[in-house]
Amino acid sequence: MPCGSMVRQWEIRPTVVLRGIKRTRVLMWQWIQGLTRACRQSVGYQVNYNDPDQAEQEMVFLEPMGSERMEMRKRQMSVQQELAAGGTAPTQQDQPSQANPRGSNACCFCWCCCCSCSWNEDRDERNRKASYDVKEGTSDCEDCPKPTLEEVRTWGQSFDKLMCCPAGRNSFRQFLRTEFSEENMLFWLACEEFSKETNKSVIEEKARLIYEDYISILSPKEVSLDSRVREVINRNMPEPTLHTFDDAQLQIYTLMQRDSYPRYLNTPAYKNLLNTLSEQSPES
């Protein structure tokens, strides 16, 4: 039986793998954002191609590609940097030998954020319109009163009762954040708000935002969906309706119920909340 024990030791758990993928995706997105800032501000960006703990790093200088609009933005940023440094800071425009070798008019892939295509130019505007996406780091996601002892007890009875309570969703979302899976709750909340819209133009706009934030493989908040559901969404996106994300929302809801909810009930946060409210209850 030693072979069987060795197989169990090397067994790969899907949940652990998904967490590792999500953490890697977040780190890659931060690296891309750093390159974007370096490109827009014409400053050097340190890149380490080996172990992050090693001291060997290479300073890469990026030059924005694209139209005159990007060049104007580049000059404005250089002027602002010189003013902030008292007019003594050198600019990186005098280093053409280290510029991006792809050429000034070549368009790169949109996700690298350094070309002048319309997808990147409108990106900040789209992010501002995503009103349902709550900022990271906020503890209270929804306005709700303090939960009662009876409500907290019902959270442990079924996942449906937990999700029906705003305070329960807030507490569960804080737990998901610790597991790097907060995007599941964000996507579910976005779909709930999306299903209440009646204006056709607003439906199309919000459908596009939800797709870019949670369905697209280029998003750092991409949720885990199977190929069948993705195919249905991609087929319906040209003319989205209120039911475009129904299958995806149900799949993410089931994932949270089966995977994250049992672990949440065993967390110290939930148990401490239950004990605190029990001590404060007049019945005790």
Side-chain angles (χ1 to χ4, degrees), residues 149-176:
L149 176 61
E150 185 63 26
E151 287 178 336
V152 176
R153 285 176 176 173
T154 59
W155 297 354
Q157 296 175 4
S158 71
F159 185 64
D160 294 336
K161 294 180 180 179
L162 170 69
M163 294 295 286
C164 289
C165 178
R169 292 195 295 268
N170 289 342
S171 178
F172 186 58
R173 178 179 170 182
Q174 292 178 16
F175 165 73
L176 293 178

PDB file of all heavy atoms in Angstrom, residues 149-176:
ATOM      1  N   LEU A 149     -29.027  37.967  17.065  1.00  0.00           N
ATOM      2  CA  LEU A 149     -28.581  36.608  17.363  1.00  0.00           C
ATOM      3  C   LEU A 149     -29.344  35.591  16.531  1.00  0.00           C
ATOM      4  O   LEU A 149     -28.756  34.617  16.030  1.00  0.00           O
ATOM      5  CB  LEU A 149     -28.772  36.321  18.862  1.00  0.00           C
ATOM      6  CG  LEU A 149     -28.446  34.898  19.319  1.00  0.00           C
ATOM      7  CD1 LEU A 149     -26.991  34.558  19.045  1.00  0.00           C
ATOM      8  CD2 LEU A 149     -28.768  34.739  20.809  1.00  0.00           C
ATOM      9  N   GLU A 150     -30.636  35.813  16.361  1.00  0.00           N
ATOM     10  CA  GLU A 150     -31.437  34.877  15.569  1.00  0.00           C
ATOM     11  C   GLU A 150     -30.985  34.858  14.112  1.00  0.00           C
ATOM     12  O   GLU A 150     -30.930  33.793  13.484  1.00  0.00           O
ATOM     13  CB  GLU A 150     -32.921  35.263  15.664  1.00  0.00           C
ATOM     14  CG  GLU A 150     -33.860  34.294  14.979  1.00  0.00           C
ATOM     15  CD  GLU A 150     -33.819  32.906  15.604  1.00  0.00           C
ATOM     16  OE1 GLU A 150     -33.484  32.804  16.800  1.00  0.00           O
ATOM     17  OE2 GLU A 150     -34.107  31.932  14.886  1.00  0.00           O
ATOM     18  N   GLU A 151     -30.649  36.026  13.571  1.00  0.00           N
ATOM     19  CA  GLU A 151     -30.187  36.080  12.183  1.00  0.00           C
ATOM     20  C   GLU A 151     -28.869  35.336  12.009  1.00  0.00           C
ATOM     21  O   GLU A 151     -28.691  34.582  11.048  1.00  0.00           O
ATOM     22  CB  GLU A 151     -30.036  37.541  11.741  1.00  0.00           C
ATOM     23  CG  GLU A 151     -31.342  38.269  11.517  1.00  0.00           C
ATOM     24  CD  GLU A 151     -31.133  39.713  11.143  1.00  0.00           C
ATOM     25  OE1 GLU A 151     -30.069  40.274  11.495  1.00  0.00           O
ATOM     26  OE2 GLU A 151     -32.036  40.308  10.498  1.00  0.00           O
ATOM     27  N   VAL A 152     -27.940  35.553  12.929  1.00  0.00           N
ATOM     28  CA  VAL A 152     -26.642  34.892  12.826  1.00  0.00           C
ATOM     29  C   VAL A 152     -26.797  33.381  12.947  1.00  0.00           C
ATOM     30  O   VAL A 152     -26.091  32.609  12.277  1.00  0.00           O
ATOM     31  CB  VAL A 152     -25.673  35.434  13.893  1.00  0.00           C
ATOM     32  CG1 VAL A 152     -24.352  34.682  13.859  1.00  0.00           C
ATOM     33  CG2 VAL A 152     -25.432  36.920  13.675  1.00  0.00           C
ATOM     34  N   ARG A 153     -27.730  32.940  13.777  1.00  0.00           N
ATOM     35  CA  ARG A 153     -27.971  31.502  13.893  1.00  0.00           C
ATOM     36  C   ARG A 153     -28.518  30.921  12.595  1.00  0.00           C
ATOM     37  O   ARG A 153     -28.175  29.807  12.199  1.00  0.00           O
ATOM     38  CB  ARG A 153     -28.932  31.231  15.041  1.00  0.00           C
ATOM     39  CG  ARG A 153     -28.292  31.373  16.421  1.00  0.00           C
ATOM     40  CD  ARG A 153     -29.323  31.198  17.523  1.00  0.00           C
ATOM     41  NE  ARG A 153     -28.697  31.250  18.849  1.00  0.00           N
ATOM     42  CZ  ARG A 153     -29.387  31.266  19.998  1.00  0.00           C
ATOM     43  NH1 ARG A 153     -30.732  31.239  19.962  1.00  0.00           N
ATOM     44  NH2 ARG A 153     -28.746  31.311  21.148  1.00  0.00           N
ATOM     45  N   THR A 154     -29.384  31.677  11.920  1.00  0.00           N
ATOM     46  CA  THR A 154     -29.947  31.184  10.659  1.00  0.00           C
ATOM     47  C   THR A 154     -28.888  31.085   9.566  1.00  0.00           C
ATOM     48  O   THR A 154     -29.039  30.298   8.630  1.00  0.00           O
ATOM     49  CB  THR A 154     -31.086  32.099  10.180  1.00  0.00           C
ATOM     50  OG1 THR A 154     -30.585  33.437  10.000  1.00  0.00           O
ATOM     51  CG2 THR A 154     -32.228  32.115  11.186  1.00  0.00           C
ATOM     52  N   TRP A 155     -27.818  31.890   9.672  1.00  0.00           N
ATOM     53  CA  TRP A 155     -26.742  31.801   8.670  1.00  0.00           C
ATOM     54  C   TRP A 155     -26.135  30.399   8.649  1.00  0.00           C
ATOM     55  O   TRP A 155     -25.710  29.920   7.598  1.00  0.00           O
ATOM     56  CB  TRP A 155     -25.639  32.814   8.970  1.00  0.00           C
ATOM     57  CG  TRP A 155     -26.082  34.243   8.903  1.00  0.00           C
ATOM     58  CD1 TRP A 155     -27.296  34.721   8.500  1.00  0.00           C
ATOM     59  CD2 TRP A 155     -25.306  35.380   9.293  1.00  0.00           C
ATOM     60  NE1 TRP A 155     -27.336  36.085   8.605  1.00  0.00           N
ATOM     61  CE2 TRP A 155     -26.119  36.520   9.083  1.00  0.00           C
ATOM     62  CE3 TRP A 155     -24.021  35.555   9.792  1.00  0.00           C
ATOM     63  CZ2 TRP A 155     -25.677  37.812   9.351  1.00  0.00           C
ATOM     64  CZ3 TRP A 155     -23.570  36.829  10.063  1.00  0.00           C
ATOM     65  CH2 TRP A 155     -24.387  37.956   9.844  1.00  0.00           C
ATOM     66  N   GLY A 156     -26.097  29.774   9.812  1.00  0.00           N
ATOM     67  CA  GLY A 156     -25.531  28.432   9.878  1.00  0.00           C
ATOM     68  C   GLY A 156     -26.495  27.340   9.463  1.00  0.00           C
ATOM     69  O   GLY A 156     -26.091  26.180   9.331  1.00  0.00           O
ATOM     70  N   GLN A 157     -27.760  27.696   9.266  1.00  0.00           N
ATOM     71  CA  GLN A 157     -28.756  26.697   8.885  1.00  0.00           C
ATOM     72  C   GLN A 157     -28.763  26.426   7.381  1.00  0.00           C
ATOM     73  O   GLN A 157     -28.911  25.286   6.955  1.00  0.00           O
ATOM     74  CB  GLN A 157     -30.143  27.148   9.341  1.00  0.00           C
ATOM     75  CG  GLN A 157     -30.272  27.257  10.844  1.00  0.00           C
ATOM     76  CD  GLN A 157     -31.622  27.811  11.271  1.00  0.00           C
ATOM     77  OE1 GLN A 157     -32.499  28.055  10.436  1.00  0.00           O
ATOM     78  NE2 GLN A 157     -31.795  28.016  12.572  1.00  0.00           N
ATOM     79  N   SER A 158     -28.594  27.485   6.584  1.00  0.00           N
ATOM     80  CA  SER A 158     -28.581  27.305   5.131  1.00  0.00           C
ATOM     81  C   SER A 158     -27.868  28.481   4.482  1.00  0.00           C
ATOM     82  O   SER A 158     -27.849  29.590   5.017  1.00  0.00           O
ATOM     83  CB  SER A 158     -30.005  27.175   4.574  1.00  0.00           C
ATOM     84  OG  SER A 158     -30.680  28.419   4.635  1.00  0.00           O
ATOM     85  N   PHE A 159     -27.306  28.209   3.328  1.00  0.00           N
ATOM     86  CA  PHE A 159     -26.607  29.251   2.577  1.00  0.00           C
ATOM     87  C   PHE A 159     -27.590  30.278   2.029  1.00  0.00           C
ATOM     88  O   PHE A 159     -27.259  31.467   1.901  1.00  0.00           O
ATOM     89  CB  PHE A 159     -25.815  28.611   1.432  1.00  0.00           C
ATOM     90  CG  PHE A 159     -24.967  29.573   0.661  1.00  0.00           C
ATOM     91  CD1 PHE A 159     -23.911  30.239   1.262  1.00  0.00           C
ATOM     92  CD2 PHE A 159     -25.225  29.829  -0.677  1.00  0.00           C
ATOM     93  CE1 PHE A 159     -23.119  31.134   0.553  1.00  0.00           C
ATOM     94  CE2 PHE A 159     -24.437  30.713  -1.398  1.00  0.00           C
ATOM     95  CZ  PHE A 159     -23.390  31.369  -0.784  1.00  0.00           C
ATOM     96  N   ASP A 160     -28.795  29.839   1.704  1.00  0.00           N
ATOM     97  CA  ASP A 160     -29.810  30.769   1.187  1.00  0.00           C
ATOM     98  C   ASP A 160     -30.143  31.842   2.210  1.00  0.00           C
ATOM     99  O   ASP A 160     -30.286  33.025   1.863  1.00  0.00           O
ATOM    100  CB  ASP A 160     -31.081  30.011   0.798  1.00  0.00           C
ATOM    101  CG  ASP A 160     -30.849  29.068  -0.374  1.00  0.00           C
ATOM    102  OD1 ASP A 160     -29.906  29.325  -1.152  1.00  0.00           O
ATOM    103  OD2 ASP A 160     -31.610  28.094  -0.508  1.00  0.00           O
ATOM    104  N   LYS A 161     -30.270  31.455   3.472  1.00  0.00           N
ATOM    105  CA  LYS A 161     -30.578  32.436   4.510  1.00  0.00           C
ATOM    106  C   LYS A 161     -29.415  33.397   4.730  1.00  0.00           C
ATOM    107  O   LYS A 161     -29.628  34.572   5.052  1.00  0.00           O
ATOM    108  CB  LYS A 161     -30.928  31.715   5.812  1.00  0.00           C
ATOM    109  CG  LYS A 161     -32.220  30.906   5.720  1.00  0.00           C
ATOM    110  CD  LYS A 161     -32.532  30.206   7.034  1.00  0.00           C
ATOM    111  CE  LYS A 161     -33.834  29.410   6.919  1.00  0.00           C
ATOM    112  NZ  LYS A 161     -34.161  28.693   8.180  1.00  0.00           N
ATOM    113  N   LEU A 162     -28.201  32.913   4.581  1.00  0.00           N
ATOM    114  CA  LEU A 162     -27.038  33.795   4.697  1.00  0.00           C
ATOM    115  C   LEU A 162     -27.041  34.839   3.582  1.00  0.00           C
ATOM    116  O   LEU A 162     -26.821  36.033   3.838  1.00  0.00           O
ATOM    117  CB  LEU A 162     -25.757  32.960   4.629  1.00  0.00           C
ATOM    118  CG  LEU A 162     -24.447  33.746   4.504  1.00  0.00           C
ATOM    119  CD1 LEU A 162     -24.154  34.495   5.795  1.00  0.00           C
ATOM    120  CD2 LEU A 162     -23.289  32.813   4.163  1.00  0.00           C
ATOM    121  N   MET A 163     -27.316  34.426   2.357  1.00  0.00           N
ATOM    122  CA  MET A 163     -27.276  35.335   1.217  1.00  0.00           C
ATOM    123  C   MET A 163     -28.469  36.271   1.172  1.00  0.00           C
ATOM    124  O   MET A 163     -28.416  37.317   0.517  1.00  0.00           O
ATOM    125  CB  MET A 163     -27.196  34.537  -0.082  1.00  0.00           C
ATOM    126  CG  MET A 163     -25.893  33.756  -0.248  1.00  0.00           C
ATOM    127  SD  MET A 163     -24.446  34.809  -0.399  1.00  0.00           S
ATOM    128  CE  MET A 163     -24.667  35.412  -2.071  1.00  0.00           C
ATOM    129  N   CYS A 164     -29.537  35.931   1.844  1.00  0.00           N
ATOM    130  CA  CYS A 164     -30.716  36.812   1.888  1.00  0.00           C
ATOM    131  C   CYS A 164     -30.542  37.953   2.883  1.00  0.00           C
ATOM    132  O   CYS A 164     -31.304  38.921   2.850  1.00  0.00           O
ATOM    133  CB  CYS A 164     -31.964  36.010   2.245  1.00  0.00           C
ATOM    134  SG  CYS A 164     -32.538  34.910   0.922  1.00  0.00           S
ATOM    135  N   CYS A 165     -29.548  37.846   3.764  1.00  0.00           N
ATOM    136  CA  CYS A 165     -29.326  38.861   4.792  1.00  0.00           C
ATOM    137  C   CYS A 165     -28.148  39.744   4.385  1.00  0.00           C
ATOM    138  O   CYS A 165     -27.048  39.237   4.125  1.00  0.00           O
ATOM    139  CB  CYS A 165     -29.033  38.184   6.130  1.00  0.00           C
ATOM    140  SG  CYS A 165     -28.696  39.339   7.474  1.00  0.00           S
ATOM    141  N   PRO A 166     -28.346  41.079   4.281  1.00  0.00           N
ATOM    142  CA  PRO A 166     -27.223  41.963   3.914  1.00  0.00           C
ATOM    143  C   PRO A 166     -26.036  41.835   4.856  1.00  0.00           C
ATOM    144  O   PRO A 166     -24.874  41.829   4.411  1.00  0.00           O
ATOM    145  CB  PRO A 166     -27.846  43.364   3.964  1.00  0.00           C
ATOM    146  CG  PRO A 166     -29.303  43.144   3.755  1.00  0.00           C
ATOM    147  CD  PRO A 166     -29.610  41.825   4.410  1.00  0.00           C
ATOM    148  N   ALA A 167     -26.297  41.742   6.158  1.00  0.00           N
ATOM    149  CA  ALA A 167     -25.190  41.589   7.113  1.00  0.00           C
ATOM    150  C   ALA A 167     -24.480  40.256   6.902  1.00  0.00           C
ATOM    151  O   ALA A 167     -23.255  40.163   7.057  1.00  0.00           O
ATOM    152  CB  ALA A 167     -25.723  41.691   8.544  1.00  0.00           C
ATOM    153  N   GLY A 168     -25.232  39.235   6.546  1.00  0.00           N
ATOM    154  CA  GLY A 168     -24.618  37.944   6.261  1.00  0.00           C
ATOM    155  C   GLY A 168     -23.742  37.988   5.025  1.00  0.00           C
ATOM    156  O   GLY A 168     -22.656  37.397   4.999  1.00  0.00           O
ATOM    157  N   ARG A 169     -24.198  38.694   4.000  1.00  0.00           N
ATOM    158  CA  ARG A 169     -23.381  38.830   2.795  1.00  0.00           C
ATOM    159  C   ARG A 169     -22.098  39.594   3.088  1.00  0.00           C
ATOM    160  O   ARG A 169     -21.030  39.265   2.554  1.00  0.00           O
ATOM    161  CB  ARG A 169     -24.191  39.529   1.695  1.00  0.00           C
ATOM    162  CG  ARG A 169     -25.343  38.703   1.148  1.00  0.00           C
ATOM    163  CD  ARG A 169     -25.855  39.304  -0.155  1.00  0.00           C
ATOM    164  NE  ARG A 169     -26.441  40.623   0.036  1.00  0.00           N
ATOM    165  CZ  ARG A 169     -27.721  40.859   0.270  1.00  0.00           C
ATOM    166  NH1 ARG A 169     -28.571  39.835   0.375  1.00  0.00           N
ATOM    167  NH2 ARG A 169     -28.177  42.090   0.413  1.00  0.00           N
ATOM    168  N   ASN A 170     -22.196  40.632   3.927  1.00  0.00           N
ATOM    169  CA  ASN A 170     -20.995  41.386   4.281  1.00  0.00           C
ATOM    170  C   ASN A 170     -19.986  40.511   5.014  1.00  0.00           C
ATOM    171  O   ASN A 170     -18.778  40.537   4.725  1.00  0.00           O
ATOM    172  CB  ASN A 170     -21.368  42.587   5.148  1.00  0.00           C
ATOM    173  CG  ASN A 170     -22.094  43.663   4.370  1.00  0.00           C
ATOM    174  OD1 ASN A 170     -22.051  43.691   3.145  1.00  0.00           O
ATOM    175  ND2 ASN A 170     -22.767  44.546   5.081  1.00  0.00           N
ATOM    176  N   SER A 171     -20.468  39.749   5.975  1.00  0.00           N
ATOM    177  CA  SER A 171     -19.569  38.883   6.742  1.00  0.00           C
ATOM    178  C   SER A 171     -18.961  37.807   5.849  1.00  0.00           C
ATOM    179  O   SER A 171     -17.757  37.521   5.933  1.00  0.00           O
ATOM    180  CB  SER A 171     -20.342  38.236   7.895  1.00  0.00           C
ATOM    181  OG  SER A 171     -19.512  37.362   8.628  1.00  0.00           O
ATOM    182  N   PHE A 172     -19.761  37.223   4.975  1.00  0.00           N
ATOM    183  CA  PHE A 172     -19.263  36.176   4.083  1.00  0.00           C
ATOM    184  C   PHE A 172     -18.284  36.756   3.062  1.00  0.00           C
ATOM    185  O   PHE A 172     -17.303  36.097   2.694  1.00  0.00           O
ATOM    186  CB  PHE A 172     -20.446  35.515   3.376  1.00  0.00           C
ATOM    187  CG  PHE A 172     -20.070  34.333   2.532  1.00  0.00           C
ATOM    188  CD1 PHE A 172     -19.431  33.247   3.080  1.00  0.00           C
ATOM    189  CD2 PHE A 172     -20.362  34.319   1.179  1.00  0.00           C
ATOM    190  CE1 PHE A 172     -19.084  32.145   2.303  1.00  0.00           C
ATOM    191  CE2 PHE A 172     -20.021  33.231   0.390  1.00  0.00           C
ATOM    192  CZ  PHE A 172     -19.388  32.136   0.954  1.00  0.00           C
ATOM    193  N   ARG A 173     -18.525  37.981   2.639  1.00  0.00           N
ATOM    194  CA  ARG A 173     -17.612  38.592   1.677  1.00  0.00           C
ATOM    195  C   ARG A 173     -16.248  38.867   2.309  1.00  0.00           C
ATOM    196  O   ARG A 173     -15.207  38.712   1.660  1.00  0.00           O
ATOM    197  CB  ARG A 173     -18.213  39.894   1.147  1.00  0.00           C
ATOM    198  CG  ARG A 173     -17.291  40.601   0.166  1.00  0.00           C
ATOM    199  CD  ARG A 173     -17.898  41.861  -0.366  1.00  0.00           C
ATOM    200  NE  ARG A 173     -16.917  42.624  -1.112  1.00  0.00           N
ATOM    201  CZ  ARG A 173     -17.152  43.807  -1.667  1.00  0.00           C
ATOM    202  NH1 ARG A 173     -18.342  44.344  -1.586  1.00  0.00           N
ATOM    203  NH2 ARG A 173     -16.205  44.436  -2.323  1.00  0.00           N
ATOM    204  N   GLN A 174     -16.223  39.258   3.572  1.00  0.00           N
ATOM    205  CA  GLN A 174     -14.938  39.454   4.250  1.00  0.00           C
ATOM    206  C   GLN A 174     -14.164  38.140   4.317  1.00  0.00           C
ATOM    207  O   GLN A 174     -12.932  38.126   4.164  1.00  0.00           O
ATOM    208  CB  GLN A 174     -15.179  40.002   5.656  1.00  0.00           C
ATOM    209  CG  GLN A 174     -15.740  41.420   5.670  1.00  0.00           C
ATOM    210  CD  GLN A 174     -16.011  41.912   7.083  1.00  0.00           C
ATOM    211  OE1 GLN A 174     -15.522  41.338   8.050  1.00  0.00           O
ATOM    212  NE2 GLN A 174     -16.790  42.962   7.209  1.00  0.00           N
ATOM    213  N   PHE A 175     -14.874  37.045   4.508  1.00  0.00           N
ATOM    214  CA  PHE A 175     -14.208  35.740   4.515  1.00  0.00           C
ATOM    215  C   PHE A 175     -13.683  35.398   3.119  1.00  0.00           C
ATOM    216  O   PHE A 175     -12.559  34.895   2.974  1.00  0.00           O
ATOM    217  CB  PHE A 175     -15.183  34.666   4.983  1.00  0.00           C
ATOM    218  CG  PHE A 175     -14.723  33.269   4.703  1.00  0.00           C
ATOM    219  CD1 PHE A 175     -13.694  32.702   5.432  1.00  0.00           C
ATOM    220  CD2 PHE A 175     -15.312  32.518   3.687  1.00  0.00           C
ATOM    221  CE1 PHE A 175     -13.254  31.411   5.164  1.00  0.00           C
ATOM    222  CE2 PHE A 175     -14.881  31.242   3.416  1.00  0.00           C
ATOM    223  CZ  PHE A 175     -13.850  30.678   4.150  1.00  0.00           C
ATOM    224  N   LEU A 176     -14.457  35.661   2.079  1.00  0.00           N
ATOM    225  CA  LEU A 176     -14.012  35.382   0.711  1.00  0.00           C
ATOM    226  C   LEU A 176     -12.764  36.194   0.364  1.00  0.00           C
ATOM    227  O   LEU A 176     -11.904  35.724  -0.384  1.00  0.00           O
ATOM    228  CB  LEU A 176     -15.128  35.685  -0.284  1.00  0.00           C
ATOM    229  CG  LEU A 176     -16.357  34.782  -0.230  1.00  0.00           C
ATOM    230  CD1 LEU A 176     -17.394  35.246  -1.249  1.00  0.00           C
ATOM    231  CD2 LEU A 176     -15.992  33.326  -0.478  1.00  0.00           C
TER     232      LEU A 176
END
